[in-house]
Amino acid sequence: ISKDNKKAEREQKEMLIQVMTAFSEALDAKDEYTSGHSHRVAVYAKEIMKRLGGDEEEQDEAYFTGLLHDVGKIRVPDAVINKPGRLMDVEYEIVKQHPVLGAEILKNIKDFPKLAAVVRSHHERFDGKGYPDGLAGEDIPPEARIIAVAESYDAMTSESRYRTPLSKAEARAEIEKCSGSQFDPVFAGIMLQMIDEELEADR
């Protein structure tokens, strides 16, 4: 690739990052409790991919997917997203549509063909008890398995209208407990290592 082409490619990528970041911030603003959630998930996902030995492109894809994993919530009514207190079953079913809606929104992004499939699958569980398709193990895209553990950690340690946040140590114990059932044990192991480093830094 010529120098000019490389420069153009880099500029295009930087613009894409800016657009995706702006979009994820608009999305987080829709729910008063999720401020910064997408960005934090993106950072965790990129770091997990890096520790797996993923190249720069794979790390960027993990980051983009983290930024946009909840994009389908844009199509979920505000009254449901921001409802105080517990959701009724019918409202929870509406929220559970967000991975499918997100995949629908993202399916035409040609530069990142895997994005839609990963967003669709980020609430699947390693044991096959997740949604929307009940995929299990290796049938779940690896980036979706990464997002699953990164998102859960951030959700558990963040403010929510449903519960008080867990401490990092409590969230760590929960991830360890769910490794091999909810989470891919390989990615859960890397996340646990990252949490241990955070806990060490906090001491």
Side-chain angles (χ1 to χ4, degrees), residues 21-39 67 70 73-74 78 81-82 161:
T21 302
F23 199 32
S24 76
E25 283 170 2
L27 177 66
D28 282 351
K30 186 177 163 80
D31 180 345
E32 61 204 69
Y33 280 96
T34 60
S35 178
H37 170 69
S38 299
H39 173 70
L67 275 183
D70 273 344
K73 286 186 177 175
I74 282 220
D78 286 2
I81 293 274
N82 288 312
R161 67 175 56 80

Side-chain angles (χ1 to χ4, degrees), residues 34-55:
T34 60
S35 178
H37 170 69
S38 299
H39 173 70
R40 290 189 299 271
V41 171
V43 170
Y44 287 136
K46 183 174 182 174
E47 181 62 23
I48 292 171
M49 183 59 85
K50 182 181 175 182
R51 292 181 186 215
L52 272 169
D55 62 28

Side-chain angles (χ1 to χ4, degrees), residues 51-142:
R51 292 181 186 215
L52 272 169
D55 62 28
E56 201 178 319
E57 199 171 308
E58 289 169 318
Q59 290 176 43
D60 284 344
E61 283 197 4
Y63 183 81
F64 292 148
T65 312
L67 275 183
L68 298 177
H69 72 280
D70 273 344
V71 73
K73 286 186 177 175
I74 282 220
R75 290 191 180 164
V76 176
D78 286 2
V80 174
I81 293 274
N82 288 312
K83 181 185 174 181
R86 290 255 164 221
L87 295 177
M88 294 190 303
D89 287 352
V90 65
E91 291 166 329
Y92 183 53
E93 288 305 317
I94 292 170
V95 172
K96 279 172 69 177
Q97 286 301 305
H98 80 271
V100 176
L101 297 170
E104 200 60 36
I105 291 167
L106 298 171
K107 68 182 182 189
N108 294 321
I109 298 184
K110 300 284 184 279
D111 282 350
F112 296 98
K114 290 193 290 189
L115 202 53
V118 173
V119 166
R120 183 181 175 97
S121 302
H122 77 275
H123 278 290
E124 299 291 357
R125 290 172 50 114
F126 198 67
D127 60 9
K129 294 178 183 172
Y131 62 89
D133 303 308
L135 302 179
E138 303 286 316
D139 289 339
I140 305 165

